[in-house]
Amino acid sequence: MKKVSSIFLMLSFLVFSFGASSVMAAEAPVKLGFVYIMSGPFATYGQFAKHGAELAIDEINKGGGINGKKIEAFFEDSAGKPDVGIRVIRKLVYENGVDAVIGLDSSGVASAVAPIMKELKTPLIITHAATPDVTGKNCNRYTFRISLNENQNMKMAAAIAADMKARIWTTIGPDYSFGHQSWEYFEKYLREKKPDMGFVPVSDVAFAPMKTTDFSAYITKVMSSKADGVLVSLWGGNLIDFVRQASDMGFFDGKREVLLTLGAATEVLYTLKDKMPEGLWVGTRYWFDGNDSPENKSFVQAYKAKYDVYPSYNAHGAYAAVKAFAAAASKAKSTDKEKIVDSLSGLSLTLPVGKVTIRPEDHQAITDGMWGKTASDPVMPIRILKPVRNFVGADITPAVSETGCKME
Amino acid sequence: MFGVLNKNFLTGLLIVVFLALAPLVLTTHWIIILTEIIIMSLYAMSFNLLFGYTGLLSFGQAGFFGAGAYFSALTLAHFTSSFWVCVAVGVIGTALLAFVIGWFCVRLDEIYFAILTLGFGMMLFTLAHNWRSVTGGSDGLTILTLPVLTFSSYRLELFNPKIFYWLSLITVSLGIVVLRQVVNSPFGLLLTATRENSQRVSFVGQNVRTVRLVAFTIAGALAGMAGVLFGLFNRIASPEMLHWSFSGKAVLMTILGGSGVFLGPAVGTSIFFVLEHFITSYTTNWMIFLGAILIALVLLFPMGVLGTAASFISKQRGVMKHE
Amino acid sequence: MEGFLINVLNGLSWGMLLFMISMGLTTVFGVMGVLNFAHGSLFMLGAYMSMQLVRWVSSFWVGLIFAPLFVALLAIALERFLLRPVYGRDVSFQLLLTFGIMLFLDDGVRLVWGPAHHVVNPPDILAGVFPIFGQTYPVYRLFLIAIGPALGLGLWAFFSYSRWGKIIRAAAMDREMAEIVGVRAPILFTSVFGFGAWLAALGGALAAPHQSVGPAIGEHIIIESFIVVVIGGMGSFPGAFVGALILGLLASFGATMAPDFQMALPYILLAIILLTRPRGIFGEES
């Protein structure tokens, strides 16, 4: 037993000496921590986000940095798991001493992390995770979101569905909170617009576990239902598998209207290429060809030049968050965390996606949104959106009273 | 006998005192890592009561770990804000759950036991993942307000990392003392006997299933205790905590440290987290390094790191004595 | 009725894919007693290799033939240098070792091919769709349904009539006895492991046109293959066939009829089988 404990002591001594040596150095640069899914089936999203963040940092550093200080970036992998997400964020704050945390793809991770930010007293800018709760009933002073959330996206989906021929709607989504919530919000908003619209009962809609690679059973279930409109909230690899298998099974034969809520992710379009059917309404948080503003043109050009692909909405999210942080810092003339938080709240700036305002009451970005119809273009390697339908931010964002947010 | 016990007691006390003083010199970041190591050590050690001592490879230990977190999160959300009630509900709740599941599982042996525990663990995972109205579904149950600890007029703030660390240290030490008592008791000997030769145990009139069921229940309850702490530590109970890959973590850390030594799982846990910390600092391709290191450790340390080191040292001592 | 028949087809095609993957897993377990966690990664590697070959020579068939061979060679090296030293040790070490190999391979493919998903097209002859019950059905799925039993029968014949097949079966039943009568265990083990990997990779190459090829596809399939093998009886071919069919049909009908429980269904079935027939449907009770 003695030898065992002496080894134990030695080991803990090692831990200690490492710990003591990693005391923070004097902080010269502005430090930003990024947390995305860098491994596993959704890792492409993390890769695009990393590129978007690096592009923004390059631009800012070349232009003299933030208040004269250069930005230093730290990237961490959340692996899409809440406990890992919390661990790396604590690491970023306590060890790397970051001034803000940017990122989060998974809603599960976002729900877990948001309350922690209150204790870490560090601003968090969410760029992808769409759960309404983090700017709703679990909102807090330190948590912001620069991208569209689920409600906003579903408001647009409902507006498009209202103008379609379909009379009875159903859904295929991932069998976790995001899929279920998307369907609930879609139903709610579409009912508001069209009270006589029919919806398939929840036992007859299709939710596929995230590990699904064969969607045939779910496709069959939806095809044999009475519905003539289908909301598809699958994303990433799931969406790729679904689209290919559904095409073969005649799902896109024109007998039903289809809305792909995250179908305009370039991560997906680059893999599917011409396997993505034409004429489908697809949603996104940002589309590289969505507007002709100088901000957008220069972003798309720079991104394409550097990485040889068009930026995805996740690349834009990370890029936008860095720009928003820089804007907040120059407005506050400081990178003090509390001052950044104050300055982010209510911040308005022009991003590639358009004019974005962070609502002070719940810290959700009010940003214009768009959906588009997939089309082919001989000079483009992927499907493009034509026509597109634009929505004004204020019209698609639920009122603060609806969100359940009580900012303390 | 008395002397040995005393010496072990002193070593244990020394380790606890040493760990208790640690936050005074460590940075916050390392206090947090150490908190996680301490909590996960109890989890791995609870698993090792089944694996190392009883010879049962459970692949469903995460089910109880996660259940502890859910029980305490539900208690906090609906009933009370007392820390000790929270722990009690978590431990008793998981003990009952482990008893029921164990009642089925102890009928099987070896790989069949492993797969059946995996099956039950995944049923619990599905329950947590799909029962949205109660468990919050895949988003989990967020713990918005931490329990309070009051000693007369003192009020301890659990969100202070040092205080949470000390509280975890006390709770985990209690758990480990219980584990130590179980292992050293006559019942503990019976456990090892069922591992070595279950037929002989039944010959001497002991019901092997009952012995295993008791061990399964204790292991479940202690995993639940670790789960309560882990839930509070992360402010969330999430379905991932019940997934088979989380059970795999306990197996991995235990074998890494050495299943034949009482503190082996704790050493394995420390190695795992420190390694992970350093690898993830340098690369996002950490899995490939973890895999490679794991392969090397399995090949080079046949009894786990602590087990192999211990036997190496005692061999050296033996050689010295002979000279 | 039509929905029912389509569901049967869906279940069969998914089941046959599971069957192909499980055959290798069950052979390796039956003969070597090793529960191979890395089996799913070998499946994934087969899919990636065939994807790469299809890119180079644009022939699905070349990928189908050569990808499994490459993976088998790699597996032989893995067995020879990593697995062999731990045979004498506790089963848990083999489990841990194959777990390490799984982590290594899963991340390795990401280093080589990046994190994106890839699409492989079925060969022209199998690319079409087939009108059935008022909708279309992919020919490739029917091909999967046909190739499963064909491969199973081929393997059954191999194990029943060929010399090597008989030796492997004998070794699976009684390893010591086989050694006494002159079977050299090391070579036997190496070839069985390589053979299991070949089957996994073949499954991967066949799955590539059916689903996308991406990291973690092995992780997704490994637990389901475990369940197939356990339900059917470890080491049993007919068991793997029946187990895979049950799981395939459970997946398709579960999604339609019990959507709230579909994720738990395979595990509930697993528990019921283990508690009533611990050695599986086709396993021999000891």
Side-chain angles (χ1 to χ4, degrees), chain A residues 1-9 11-13 15-20 22-24 38-40 50 75-77 79-84 86-88 90-92 94-95 107-109 111-113 115-116 118-120 131 133 137-138 175-178 180-181 184 210, chain B residues 7-8 11 14-15 18-19 22 25-30 32 34 36 129-130 132 136-139 142-144 146 159 161 180 230 233-236 238 240 245-246 249 261-263 266-267 270-271 273-274 276-278 280-281 284 286-287 306 309-311 313-314 317:
Chain A
M1 194 60 214
K2 190 146 176 239
K3 62 213 177 244
V4 172
S5 58
S6 62
I7 295 168
F8 186 80
L9 287 182
L11 274 173
S12 15
F13 182 75
V15 175
F16 275 46
S17 42
F18 280 130
S22 60
V23 177
M24 274 174 249
M38 305 283 196
S39 60
K50 187 168 188 232
F75 290 92
E76 293 284 349
D77 178 15
K81 294 180 177 146
D83 63 315
V84 181
I86 288 170
R87 187 184 310 139
V88 297
R90 281 174 168 156
K91 177 181 174 186
L92 286 170
Y94 286 125
E95 192 181 51
S107 288
V109 176
S111 305
V113 159
I116 299 266
K118 212 163 46 176
E119 293 163 25
L120 297 177
T131 172
D133 294 351
K137 68 176 202 257
N138 291 349
D175 191 4
Y176 75 114
S177 301
F178 172 73
H180 289 269
Q181 282 174 353
E184 285 157 12
M210 280 176 85
Chain B
K7 209 161 94 187
N8 280 342
T11 335
L14 195 69
I15 296 176
F18 183 71
L19 287 174
V25 290
L26 287 183
T27 57
T28 311
H29 175 60
W30 281 93
I32 285 172
L34 212 54
E36 194 163 3
H129 188 275
N130 288 10
R132 289 176 63 214
S138 62
D139 284 350
T142 308
I143 298 171
L144 289 175
L146 280 177
F159 58 78
R180 184 85 201 158
F230 196 71
F233 173 66
N234 281 337
R235 322 287 190 260
I236 193 166
S238 71
E240 278 81 3
S245 53
F246 215 96
K249 234 178 192 174
V261 194
F262 184 67
L263 285 179
V267 172
S270 317
I271 295 174
F273 275 96
V274 173
E276 191 187 59
H277 172 80
F278 282 109
T280 50
S281 308
T284 51
W286 53 275
M287 267 173 23
L306 188 63
S311 83
I313 289 174
S314 60
R317 285 232 180 99

Side-chain angles (χ1 to χ4, degrees), chain B:
Chain B
M1 178 66 200
F2 191 71
V4 172
L5 213 132
N6 224 352
K7 209 161 94 187
N8 280 342
F9 175 73
L10 279 177
T11 335
L13 198 67
L14 195 69
I15 296 176
V16 172
V17 169
F18 183 71
L19 287 174
L21 295 175
L24 304 179
V25 290
L26 287 183
T27 57
T28 311
H29 175 60
W30 281 93
I31 293 173
I32 285 172
I33 291 187
L34 212 54
T35 313
E36 194 163 3
I37 290 176
I38 284 173
I39 298 171
M40 295 300 281
S41 291
L42 180 61
Y43 169 51
M45 288 174 81
S46 79
F47 160 79
N48 201 37
L49 179 68
L50 289 177
F51 180 63
Y53 289 91
T54 323
L56 293 171
L57 174 60
S58 166
F59 246 96
Q61 199 68 358
F64 306 117
F65 181 77
Y70 272 98
F71 283 137
S72 65
L74 287 170
T75 313
L76 278 175
H78 300 296
F79 303 109
T80 169
S81 61
S82 154
F83 174 75
W84 297 112
V85 172
C86 212
V87 174
V89 171
V91 173
I92 295 168
T94 19
L96 288 174
L97 188 68
F99 181 81
V100 174
I101 290 177
W103 192 78
F104 292 105
C105 292
V106 295
R107 288 146 202 274
L108 299 184
D109 274 318
E110 299 163 12
I111 202 81
Y112 301 95
F113 174 85
I115 304 264
L116 186 59
T117 47
L118 185 146
F120 274 111
M122 287 306 286
M123 282 185 222
L124 292 178
F125 167 80
T126 315
L127 190 70
H129 188 275
N130 288 10
W131 197 9
R132 289 176 63 214
S133 55
V134 172
T135 60
S138 62
D139 284 350
L141 271 183
T142 308
I143 298 171
L144 289 175
T145 43
L146 280 177
V148 287
L149 258 183
T150 40
F151 292 108
S152 61
S153 60
Y154 266 113
R155 202 184 132 92
L156 291 182
E157 298 296 350
L158 286 193
F159 58 78
N160 178 334
K162 279 185 191 169
I163 293 184
F164 194 86
Y165 170 82
W166 279 317
L167 192 71
S168 307
L169 184 64
I170 293 168
T171 321
V172 167
S173 303
L174 282 176
I176 291 178
V177 166
V178 170
L179 210 51
R180 184 85 201 158
Q181 292 301 325
V182 170
V183 170
N184 281 352
S185 67
F187 175 74
L189 291 176
L190 208 56
L191 283 185
T192 351
T194 57
R195 182 192 65 196
E196 299 301 334
N197 192 334
S198 57
Q199 273 182 346
R200 196 171 295 165
V201 174
S202 47
F203 286 152
V204 298
Q206 295 289 342
N207 187 333
V208 176
R209 280 186 190 170
T210 315
V211 173
R212 285 179 173 175
L213 180 55
V214 174
F216 196 92
T217 309
I218 297 173
L222 290 174
M225 192 167 175
V228 172
L229 288 173
F230 196 71
L232 295 177
F233 173 66
N234 281 337
R235 322 287 190 260
I236 193 166
S238 71
E240 278 81 3
M241 293 170 67
L242 303 129
H243 196 259
W244 71 266
S245 53
F246 215 96
S247 299
K249 234 178 192 174
V251 183
L252 197 143
M253 296 185 302
T254 299
I255 300 175
L256 205 59
S259 62
V261 194
F262 184 67
L263 285 179
V267 172
T269 308
S270 317
I271 295 174
F272 181 84
F273 275 96
V274 173
L275 262 184
E276 191 187 59
H277 172 80
F278 282 109
I279 301 172
T280 50
S281 308
Y282 293 108
T283 170
T284 51
N285 285 85
W286 53 275
M287 267 173 23
I288 201 164
F289 289 94
L290 192 68
I293 291 169
L294 201 61
I295 293 168
L297 284 173
V298 171
L299 293 178
L300 300 176
F301 294 88
M303 287 179 281
V305 173
L306 188 63
T308 307
S311 83
F312 178 74
I313 289 174
S314 60
K315 257 191 216 147
Q316 291 286 310
R317 285 232 180 99
V319 171
M320 266 158 42
K321 266 181 200 160
H322 282 294
E323 286 167 357

Side-chain angles (χ1 to χ4, degrees), chain C residues 140-277:
Chain C
Y140 194 78
R141 270 177 192 270
L142 301 177
F143 166 69
L144 284 180
I145 295 174
I147 202 166
L151 200 62
L153 272 178
L155 286 172
W156 176 78
F158 167 76
F159 278 105
S160 306
Y161 299 111
S162 79
R163 201 178 106 78
W164 262 102
K166 285 180 191 165
I167 291 174
I168 293 176
R169 265 191 16 217
M173 262 183 257
D174 194 335
R175 204 178 304 161
E176 280 170 33
M177 188 57 95
E179 277 183 48
I180 290 167
V181 298
V183 177
R184 289 177 54 210
I187 291 187
L188 178 78
F189 274 30
T190 309
S191 32
V192 165
F193 195 78
F195 178 65
W198 180 80
L199 280 172
L202 188 69
L206 284 168
H210 168 266
Q211 59 183 67
S212 59
V213 180
I217 59 170
E219 208 179 295
H220 288 164
I221 204 133
I222 183 71
I223 291 295
E224 269 181 83
S225 337
F226 274 167
I227 296 176
V228 165
V229 168
V230 173
I231 289 178
M234 291 196 229
S236 158
F237 266 179
F241 186 77
V242 172
L245 274 188
I246 294 177
L247 230 62
L249 292 172
L250 207 60
S252 63
F253 283 97
T256 318
M257 294 174 177
D260 292 339
F261 298 99
Q262 51 165 339
M263 275 168 82
L265 281 177
Y267 301 104
I268 294 171
L269 178 73
L270 176 80
I272 293 172
I273 296 271
L274 274 175
L275 288 168
T276 52
R277 261 193 88 82

